[in-house]
Amino acid sequence: MTRACKLARSWDEYDAYLFDIDGTLIHCTDAVHYFAFCDVLSSVAGRPLNLDGVTAHGNTDVGILGDALTRAGIPDSQWRPQLQHICDTMCAFVHRRQSELCVTTLPAVEDTLRHLRNKGAVIGLATGNLEEIGKLKLSAARLLDYFHFGGWSDGLETRADVFRRAVQRAKQLASPEAAILVIGDTPSDIRAARANELAVVAVATGIYSFDQLTAEQPDLCIHSLEELAVCA
């Protein structure tokens, strides 16, 4: 059952859109991104490290790195000065193993993106992925060309900051008064949208249930993008 729609307008009448990637547009069934984290974390720490106990879904790549290293007792002074190198190393790891990416496009994603492009909307991303890694995933799914711009986590630790940067870009491309809609699959997407005063659709195609997302009070909660027609 779809949650009652509280959007101010039809879902497809916004000027610009910010989509999350993992769990919203695609599922990755490989572990390439995960092993990129493990590889670079172990290099920084000088001992084997992984992401056990770290919240990854709804986090940013930079935030995940910081959480994992803090949990392992690695002081900020040891890793923050080399953050750019750490991120570059992660991206290089995924690039080398891009043939191993196993990506599935979620239901109605292409139809939704095509529909919005045909209506002349500005379509962007607001994701926790580093730019090169996110582009490799979307390229593997053949979705990258649908997007006018990307809001990536490079240099940003919080999802709210990622959204803030993406909003600035969306308004540059659409208009300063553009109405912007966020579509994401985690409570963090909803909270980041609210922090930036944006309308948000939550889609339960990731690890969070419909009820968990509804509890965060998005403007609309759906089980998949196939249900967007309810607010057309």
Side-chain angles (χ1 to χ4, degrees), residues 67-132:
D67 290 349
L69 291 167
T70 298
R71 187 178 179 84
I74 310 299
D76 281 13
S77 59
Q78 184 174 328
W79 65 271
R80 283 197 182 276
Q82 55 176 323
L83 179 58
Q84 186 59 59
H85 173 71
I86 290 170
C87 291
D88 290 345
T89 300
M90 276 188 58
C91 291
F93 183 100
V94 177
H95 185 81
R96 287 195 305 272
R97 299 178 63 171
Q98 62 181 302
S99 63
E100 299 174 34
L101 291 172
C102 188
V103 178
T104 301
T105 302
L106 288 164
V109 164
E110 288 195 74
D111 289 342
T112 299
L113 296 175
R114 190 179 301 112
H115 176 69
L116 295 177
R117 284 295 294 253
N118 289 341
K119 289 182 70 69
V122 171
I123 308 176
L125 298 158
T127 173
N129 282 272
L130 295 169
E131 181 173 359
E132 184 170 356

Side-chain angles (χ1 to χ4, degrees), residues 10-19 116 119 121-125 147 149 170 179-183:
S10 173
W11 74 271
D12 59 352
E13 294 296 335
Y14 285 78
D15 302 305
Y17 296 80
L18 300 178
F19 284 86
L116 295 177
K119 289 182 70 69
V122 171
I123 308 176
L125 298 158
F147 296 92
F149 72 95
I180 301 171
L181 180 63
V182 171
I183 301 179

Side-chain angles (χ1 to χ4, degrees), residues 38 48 86 157 203 220-221:
C38 296
I86 290 170
E157 200 155 342
V203 55
L220 174 65
C221 192

Side-chain angles (χ1 to χ4, degrees), residues 6-226:
K6 296 182 180 179
L7 294 172
R9 62 189 73 193
S10 173
W11 74 271
D12 59 352
E13 294 296 335
Y14 285 78
D15 302 305
Y17 296 80
L18 300 178
F19 284 86
D20 175 51
I21 294 180
D22 298 293
T24 301
L25 299 173
I26 62 172
H27 276 322
C28 289
T29 55
D30 59 86
V32 174
H33 198 174
Y34 172 81
F35 285 124
F37 277 113
C38 296
D39 178 72
V40 76
L41 288 169
S42 299
S43 177
V44 172
R47 66 181 190 272
L49 285 185
N50 56 38
L51 297 182
D52 288 355
V54 176
T55 299
H57 296 277
N59 206 339
T60 66
D61 280 4
V62 175
I64 292 168
L65 288 167
D67 290 349
L69 291 167
T70 298
R71 187 178 179 84
I74 310 299
D76 281 13
S77 59
Q78 184 174 328
W79 65 271
R80 283 197 182 276
Q82 55 176 323
L83 179 58
Q84 186 59 59
H85 173 71
I86 290 170
C87 291
D88 290 345
T89 300
M90 276 188 58
C91 291
F93 183 100
V94 177
H95 185 81
R96 287 195 305 272
R97 299 178 63 171
Q98 62 181 302
S99 63
E100 299 174 34
L101 291 172
C102 188
V103 178
T104 301
T105 302
L106 288 164
V109 164
E110 288 195 74
D111 289 342
T112 299
L113 296 175
R114 190 179 301 112
H115 176 69
L116 295 177
R117 284 295 294 253
N118 289 341
K119 289 182 70 69
V122 171
I123 308 176
L125 298 158
T127 173
N129 282 272
L130 295 169
E131 181 173 359
E132 184 170 356
I133 294 174
K135 284 183 173 180
L136 286 170
K137 291 179 181 179
L138 291 176
S139 293
R142 298 182 180 180
L143 295 177
L144 185 59
D145 289 344
Y146 283 107
F147 296 92
H148 295 99
F149 72 95
W152 313 100
S153 70
D154 299 64
L156 301 174
E157 200 155 342
T158 73
R159 212 162 186 85
D161 285 340
V162 172
F163 277 45
R164 192 167 296 114
R165 179 190 284 173
V167 167
Q168 293 172 350
R169 183 62 176 146
K171 289 185 175 181
Q172 288 174 350
L173 294 175
S175 79
E177 304 303 320
I180 301 171
L181 180 63
V182 171
I183 301 179
D185 69 293
T186 72
S188 294
D189 292 309
I190 301 169
R191 295 167 193 159
R194 294 299 184 221
N196 286 278
E197 301 181 335
L198 302 175
V200 56
V201 173
V203 55
T205 44
I207 69 165
Y208 292 95
S209 70
F210 182 87
D211 289 341
Q212 286 174 308
L213 295 172
T214 298
E216 297 289 332
Q217 300 185 330
D219 295 285
L220 174 65
C221 192
I222 55 180
H223 292 91
S224 83
L225 293 183
E226 294 170 300

